[in-house]
Amino acid sequence: MISLGCSLSLIWNIFRGRSGNHTIYQRTLMGCAISTLVLSILSLWGVAAFPESSSVMGAMGTISTCSAQGFLYQWVIFIPPLYYMTLSLLSFWVLFFRLVHQNNNSRKKRQ
C-alpha cells in the first residue's frame, strides 16, 4: 500500500509540474514509478489470480490470469534496475562531459 501511494504521488507530481517540458531525469523516474505502481497492484491482487483448481487458499482465477500475472510480474520486476542503471549512466555522462568541457576551457584560457 505504501509503494502504491508513493508511486501515485510521484506520478501526480511529475504531471502537475509547472514546466511543460520534462527533463530526462523526470521521464526516467516516471517510468520507474509506473513499473512500481504495476508491481504494487500485482502484489495487492496476490494469490487471487491462481487457478481455482490449485491447492492455494484464496485462489479464484484461471490458468490465463495466473499466466498474465506471472508475465507482468517478470516484466515489471526487471524494469526498475534498468531505470536505475539509466539514471546512473545519465549522471556519469553529465559529470564526465561537464568535467571534460571545463578542462578544455581551462586549457584554452592558458594558451
Side-chain angles (χ1 to χ4, degrees):
M1 290 299 284
I2 293 173
S3 63
L4 182 71
C6 291
S7 297
L8 286 173
S9 173
L10 187 61
I11 292 169
W12 175 258
N13 285 331
I14 290 174
F15 273 129
R16 194 182 60 164
R18 292 196 175 113
S19 64
N21 54 352
H22 296 292
T23 63
I24 294 173
Y25 173 76
Q26 288 174 328
R27 291 177 188 159
T28 306
L29 203 56
M30 172 72 82
C32 194
I34 290 171
S35 68
T36 306
L37 178 69
V38 171
L39 186 61
S40 299
I41 292 170
L42 290 175
S43 297
L44 284 175
W45 189 254
V47 297
F50 284 31
E52 287 183 273
S53 60
S54 66
S55 60
V56 178
M57 191 163 130
M60 299 184 300
T62 63
I63 293 175
S64 298
T65 58
C66 186
S67 298
Q69 185 181 19
F71 171 76
L72 284 174
Y73 182 79
Q74 290 298 320
W75 180 69
V76 170
I77 203 72
F78 188 64
I79 291 175
L82 289 177
Y83 279 113
Y84 289 128
M85 182 185 71
T86 304
L87 286 174
S88 299
L89 289 174
L90 177 66
S91 300
F92 172 76
W93 190 264
V94 167
L95 290 174
F96 178 75
F97 280 106
R98 185 174 293 165
L99 291 175
V100 169
H101 181 70
Q102 287 175 353
N103 288 340
N104 287 339
N105 285 341
S106 64
R107 287 181 190 162
K108 288 178 184 177
K109 289 180 183 177
R110 287 184 207 158
Q111 294 174 355

